Each structure stands twice: as C-alpha cells, then as structure tokens.
Amino acid sequence: MAAAQAPPAPAARFVVVLDAAHGGDDPGGRLSGSQTEKAFTLALSVRLRSLLAARGISVVTTRESDATIDSNRRAEIANHAKAQACLSLHATESGSGIHLFASSLAPAQAVRISTWKTAQAGWVTRSLSLAGVLNSALLHAGMTVTLGRTDLPGIDSMTCPALAVEVAPESAPGRPVKSALDDPAYQARVATALAAALLEWRTEARQP
Ligand SMILES: [Zn+2]
C-alpha cells in the first residue's frame, strides 16, 4: 500500500523582525560624527525594511521612531510576529565590519519551553544556522564578519531564529580606506549586504 502523499505545504509567509536597538532615553553608544547608536540603528532598520519589502518580505519593526522600548516589549513584538528571523541591530566603534551574536543559552528542546528569559534556548540551533547563512552571504558581499555568542537581553526571550547584528567601521586589511559608520556609502553597503543575506536565509528556509 502506497503511503499517502502529503499535500505540498503552502509557502509560509516569510516574516523578518527588525529590532533597532536602544532609542528614546537610551541613546546606546556614541559613534563617530556625533551620531548616537540609537539613531544609527533606526536609520539602518528603515533602510533595510524598504530593501526587504521591495523583495516581498514582510517586515515587522520594534520601533519606527526615537522611542524608549524595553527588551521585554521587543521580545513580545518578535514573538507575536512568528518571524523566520529577528535581527537586533546595534552599532559600535570597536572592531571591524559586522559582528553576529547568537544567544549564549545552551540549546534545549523547543517543546514546552515557555520560560521568559530562556525561551531562546529552544531556538539557539536555528539561530546558529541563521548566523552561518548570514556569515557566508555577508562574506560573499565583501564584508568582514565576526561570529560570537553572548547574553542577549530581549533575544533570550525570543521564540524565533534571532541574532544581534552589530555594525562596526570597516578597517579590513587590504582595504586602503576605512569605512566609517557615518559614511552614507558604507551604511548603504551594510544594508544591501544584510538584505541579500536575509534573502539567502529565505531560500534556505524553503528547502524541504
Ligand atoms: Zn547597542
């Protein structure tokens, strides 16, 4: 007796959450050119959102203005969105290129994990896969990438593949000119590379 063929699953809606870190009372770090981190992350979120929307990706953002939003609220927004990826956007003057951080929680069964602050344990394996896909796509786009794991308030409460993406100036060896965070061309390059990387993740997510 032939096994019943499962009907093809309908293409799930692909949703990305963009979490512009800091905002309002929390300026984040001070960046070159008297920029604040909170303004940089919001600008990157807006730019990335339009690049993704243009490619048919649904985007949910945690903030659209200079608002104070605590990490619990950010996680609530991400979890409600049932996203295939959440990127929490940060910026720093230290290091080089793009730093990708996954939660340092040890992987655990996703089933029945609902404990706030450790919910990401059920998703860490997927988050590390996301980091791997973004890493190769960003390298392909010519970015310098550093991978790490750390405690991530907000992300540790998220029930989706989630990473902190920290943008630093680019000062890779072999590049004669350092790309500063306040360089509009560099900002555009970072957003384009991240959008391309998320498209790659969508492609991988659709593989059976
Ligand atoms: Zn930050």
Side-chain angles (χ1 to χ4, degrees), residues 31-33 35-36 39-41 43-45 47-48 51 91 98 143 167-170 179-195:
L31 309 176
S32 62
Q35 266 187 124
T36 54
F40 182 97
T41 61
L44 177 57
S45 172
R47 197 190 280 261
L48 195 46
L51 290 173
I98 297 183
M143 306 299 303
V167 183
E170 179 111 290
S179 301
L181 289 177
D182 58 354
D183 173 358
Y186 182 54
Q187 294 169 0
R189 195 156 73 85
V190 167
T192 303
L194 285 171

Side-chain angles (χ1 to χ4, degrees), residues 16-21 31 35-52 59 61 63-64 87-92 97-100 138 143 164-168 181 183-195 198:
V16 168
V17 170
L18 297 177
D19 173 34
L31 309 176
Q35 266 187 124
T36 54
E37 186 183 357
K38 68 176 183 178
F40 182 97
T41 61
L42 182 59
L44 177 57
S45 172
V46 168
R47 197 190 280 261
L48 195 46
R49 182 189 58 191
S50 64
L51 290 173
L52 294 173
V59 178
T61 57
R63 68 181 177 99
E64 293 284 327
L87 300 186
S88 196
L89 306 171
H90 290 261
T92 179
I98 297 183
H99 310 151
L100 300 177
L138 292 170
M143 306 299 303
V165 176
E166 188 182 54
V167 183
L181 289 177
D183 173 358
Y186 182 54
Q187 294 169 0
R189 195 156 73 85
V190 167
T192 303
L194 285 171
L198 285 164

Side-chain angles (χ1 to χ4, degrees), residues 6-200:
R13 206 166 69 101
F14 189 83
V15 181
V16 168
V17 170
L18 297 177
D19 173 34
H22 310 290
D25 297 339
D26 167 18
R30 183 153 291 281
L31 309 176
S32 62
S34 73
Q35 266 187 124
T36 54
E37 186 183 357
K38 68 176 183 178
F40 182 97
T41 61
L42 182 59
L44 177 57
S45 172
V46 168
R47 197 190 280 261
L48 195 46
R49 182 189 58 191
S50 64
L51 290 173
L52 294 173
R55 287 158 182 81
I57 291 180
S58 306
V59 178
V60 173
T61 57
T62 56
R63 68 181 177 99
E64 293 284 327
S65 63
D66 183 17
T68 305
I69 301 172
D70 71 22
S71 58
N72 288 341
R73 178 71 191 128
R74 293 171 193 269
E76 279 170 14
I77 293 169
N79 295 349
H80 183 73
K82 304 202 184 310
Q84 278 74 30
C86 174
L87 300 186
S88 196
L89 306 171
H90 290 261
T92 179
E93 286 295 335
S94 47
S96 178
I98 297 183
H99 310 151
L100 300 177
F101 292 102
S103 168
S104 55
L105 290 169
Q109 290 290 320
V111 192
R112 300 265 166 225
I113 291 181
S114 54
T115 318
W116 201 238
K117 306 291 185 197
T118 57
Q120 177 64 201
W123 293 86
V124 154
T125 304
R126 288 290 286 159
S127 297
L128 291 170
S129 299
L130 174 61
V133 168
L134 295 193
N135 178 39
S136 43
L138 292 170
L139 290 172
H140 187 72
M143 306 299 303
T144 306
V145 186
T146 308
L147 297 171
R149 298 184 65 176
T150 187
D151 278 349
L152 297 167
I155 284 182
D156 284 349
S157 300
M158 288 181 190
T159 53
C160 59
L163 297 174
V165 176
E166 188 182 54
V167 183
E170 179 111 290
S171 53
R175 279 187 193 276
V177 182
K178 174 175 157 165
S179 301
L181 289 177
D182 58 354
D183 173 358
Y186 182 54
Q187 294 169 0
R189 195 156 73 85
V190 167
T192 303
L194 285 171
L198 285 164
L199 284 169
E200 192 60 40

